[in-house]
Amino acid sequence: MFTGSIVALVTPMDVKGNVDRVSLKKLVEYHIASGTSAIVSVGTTGESATLDHKEHIDVIKQTVEYAAGRINVIAGTGANATAEAILLTKQVEKLGVVGCLTVTPYYNKPTQEGLYQHFKVIAENTSLPQILYNVPGRTGCDLKPETVAKLAKISNIVALKDATSDLARVYKTRKLVGDDFKLLSGDDVTFFEFMLLGGDGIISVSANVAAREMARICQLITAKRIKEARKINDTLDLLHNKLFIEPNPIPVKWACEKIGLIQNSTMRLPMTPLTNSSIPEVEKALKLAKLL
């Protein structure tokens, strides 16, 4: 369930900044057709920071309805207050999601004990499988491998999304958590190496526009057909980089519009459109990946 290419789905919006349901349905169909393993709805790439609670839950609900059991949906339910994360988790329990992606508390900068207690209490308040999400570059705190190992002993904490880009952690964390606990890359640039070192897949930004390619790479690595996988990934290498030329999800929403997956790349403030100087860079990457 938590392996392969999982897309960190963008949340499409119309020119007024309202959620674009037509484009959302189109995106879900695109990922079903492309072999994506699962969808993360309303994670960082889905602009969770600028959706209110009602919209947050509604986007997840709509995504599950459009999926109609044909692809698994994982709900982004992270918050920097434990009580808020529990509230979001409780609200998605009956929507049909297969699990939750819960980011480390941002801004607060809790200790390792604080992080342990945060995730432990969330897990104790739900039966849904939980994916820990560590992205220090955004949150200001770092979930250490030793803390992950403690959390992995809790039955419904089943996976880690690691967006540190620190490949040395893959082996260290795997040794601590064992083989059943899933390790997912959260960094497209290094995900290929992450999987070669024992990772189980990726929660991907690039998969928003290169869904078929990302799914195939993961399948080939799992089948030990590394040369074939590398050949595909080499065509995506520039894309992996240029989709982060400005803060995510600015470039990837522009790219989704450019290749016709969404109607426009509207975002809510404080996120602003892709700058003119970056447009040729992202366009070049799309062309190299044969997506344009």
Side-chain angles (χ1 to χ4, degrees), residues 125-143:
N125 278 274
T126 185
S127 60
L128 283 173
Q130 300 291 300
I131 303 173
L132 311 171
Y133 179 15
N134 189 32
V135 55
R138 280 188 177 266
T139 63
C141 69
D142 185 8
L143 186 66

Side-chain angles (χ1 to χ4, degrees), residues 63-102:
T63 303
V64 172
E65 290 181 5
Y66 295 148
R70 296 172 295 163
I71 187 171
N72 288 326
V73 178
I74 300 161
T77 53
N80 64 337
T82 307
E84 183 181 0
I86 292 171
L87 176 64
L88 286 170
T89 302
K90 289 288 189 183
Q91 288 180 304
V92 304
E93 282 181 331
K94 296 180 181 180
L95 297 184
V97 300
V98 299
C100 298
L101 177 68
T102 308

Side-chain angles (χ1 to χ4, degrees), residues 194-207:
F194 186 102
M195 287 194 68
L196 294 184
L197 290 167
D200 297 291
I202 180 171
I203 298 179
S204 170
V205 173
S206 295

Side-chain angles (χ1 to χ4, degrees), residues 18 20 57 65 111 143 145 148 161 166 208 220 228 285-286:
N18 299 313
D20 178 356
I57 299 303
E65 290 181 5
T111 64
L143 186 66
V148 174
K161 176 184 177 182
D166 181 358
N208 277 283
L220 288 169
E228 293 174 67
L286 289 171

Side-chain angles (χ1 to χ4, degrees), residues 11-17 47 253 257 264-268:
T11 298
M13 298 176 184
D14 63 25
V15 292
K16 294 182 179 180
E47 295 176 79
K253 286 195 88 170
E257 180 187 7
N264 63 77
S265 52
T266 303
M267 284 173 288
R268 294 177 181 175

Side-chain angles (χ1 to χ4, degrees), residues 8 10 82 93 95 109 112 158 178 183 190 194 201 217 276 280 287:
V10 300
T82 307
E93 282 181 331
L95 297 184
K109 301 180 74 171
Q112 292 301 301
V158 299
L183 298 182
T190 59
F194 186 102
I217 291 167
N276 289 336
K287 289 179 178 177

Side-chain angles (χ1 to χ4, degrees), residues 223-241:
K224 308 298 182 184
R225 294 161 63 181
I226 308 303
K227 287 185 179 179
E228 293 174 67
R230 190 184 303 278
K231 185 176 181 180
I232 300 171
N233 194 58
D234 284 348
T235 68
L236 301 182
D237 185 59
L238 187 64
L239 183 71
H240 294 329
N241 283 276

